Amino acid sequence: MESRAPRPAGRARRPSFHRMNSPHGYGTKMPFMVSGYICAGCGEWNETMVDESAGSRQRYVEDCQVCCKPNVLRVSWDTGAEEFVIDAELE
């Protein structure tokens, strides 16, 4: 069986704006950036959306899209690379 090399910490791919309901009115554009992380439980890659308006350092729980285990995500903005980096650990 072929082994896969571990992926680096999650890196944002591109800025993305999605329409959603918000307190500012229906259809207001809210800034989200596509990023990803490696599940701390099963090691699979997960894509997620980071809410840029929540700040340069965030922490929240998101279930893995593959194994459903809850991951505590620590999101931080890398000013040099101009992207979000996500570290995950099991809850």
Side-chain angles (χ1 to χ4, degrees):
M1 183 172 186
E2 183 180 319
S3 65
R4 293 189 289 177
R7 291 188 188 199
R11 298 284 183 174
R13 299 220 169 116
R14 64 190 176 284
S16 179
F17 293 89
H18 294 274
R19 291 188 180 277
M20 60 183 297
N21 292 324
S22 77
H24 307 292
Y26 181 78
T28 301
K29 288 186 178 183
M30 301 293 288
F32 286 89
M33 187 174 278
V34 175
S35 191
Y37 65 95
I38 296 173
C39 174
C42 69
E44 291 293 326
W45 182 254
N46 287 259
E47 283 199 349
T48 190
M49 304 295 285
V50 177
D51 180 357
E52 295 179 70
S53 67
S56 62
R57 292 192 181 271
Q58 304 174 35
R59 182 181 162 112
Y60 56 92
V61 176
E62 186 170 296
D63 291 344
C64 173
Q65 299 162 10
V66 178
C67 71
C68 300
K69 291 182 180 176
N71 283 259
V72 177
L73 304 182
R74 289 184 317 277
V75 182
S76 59
W77 178 253
D78 183 338
T79 55
E82 295 187 359
E83 60 188 11
F84 284 104
V85 177
I86 301 176
D87 293 310
E89 63 184 37
L90 290 180
E91 184 176 47

